Amino acid sequence: MPPLADSGRRTLARIIDMILVGVVVWLLSWAFRVNSYEIDGDQIEASKSIGQSLIAVVLYMAYDTILTARRGQTLGKQWLGMRVANLDNGSTPSVQTSLIRAAVLWIPFAFCCACVWTIICGGWSFFDKPYKQGLHDKAAKTVVVSTG
């Protein structure tokens, strides 16, 4: 198996992916008028916030699941020379494994505590021994390895 990827590079790749998908989430939220960032002291619409969260979770999970299952890489990982691999044999994760990994990462992110969950889940790799796994990697039994 190739060497494990550096946690700092993993974080940068995740930030790139979050920006790429976040732009699409914002555009779709705006187009469907469910963006939750409208400020109106007289009217609070929880359905807009839930609508934006649904768009976010579907897009982030689809992006992560499809690209990870297809090539083992999101665009951020590809650009920074990394890929996701099964812990037991180094192969590209299946759709089911990729979906588990994405669900653990993105469902809490979209509906609950985006910043805190992202720091905990992904930041776990900075302290995990010996495989540098984030919590989403632990759940899916995957690791992130260098490709170059």
Side-chain angles (χ1 to χ4, degrees):
M1 186 173 313
L4 296 172
D6 176 69
S7 295
R9 280 192 14 229
R10 289 181 63 172
T11 301
L12 183 56
R14 179 64 63 202
I15 291 169
I16 291 167
D17 293 331
M18 289 173 74
I19 291 169
L20 292 172
V21 178
V23 168
V24 177
V25 168
W26 181 81
L27 289 171
L28 287 175
S29 296
W30 177 77
F32 289 115
R33 299 183 186 270
V34 293
N35 50 331
S36 63
Y37 298 108
E38 294 178 11
I39 299 173
D40 182 356
D42 298 328
Q43 185 178 9
I44 298 172
E45 294 187 39
S47 63
K48 285 188 173 191
S49 178
I50 291 169
Q52 186 173 36
S53 293
L54 284 171
I55 289 171
V57 78
V58 167
L59 288 179
Y60 278 111
M61 283 185 61
Y63 172 83
D64 238 321
T65 301
I66 292 167
L67 292 180
T68 300
R70 183 175 290 163
R71 300 184 348 211
Q73 303 171 297
T74 59
L75 292 174
K77 283 182 181 60
Q78 180 183 357
W79 295 341
L80 295 177
M82 296 175 283
R83 73 175 178 87
V84 178
N86 287 323
L87 179 60
D88 61 350
N89 61 15
S91 65
T92 299
S94 67
V95 171
Q96 180 179 356
T97 300
S98 299
L99 183 60
I100 291 167
R101 189 174 187 274
V104 170
L105 183 62
W106 297 116
I107 291 174
F109 171 87
F111 290 106
C112 171
C113 38
C115 294
V116 173
W117 181 247
T118 304
I119 291 168
I120 293 169
C121 192
W124 200 269
S125 71
F126 283 90
F127 307 103
D128 184 67
K129 303 284 185 213
Y131 299 116
K132 297 183 184 178
Q133 293 173 294
L135 294 179
H136 52 303
D137 290 310
K138 287 193 172 298
K141 297 181 178 96
T142 58
V143 291
V144 178
V145 297
S146 294
T147 59

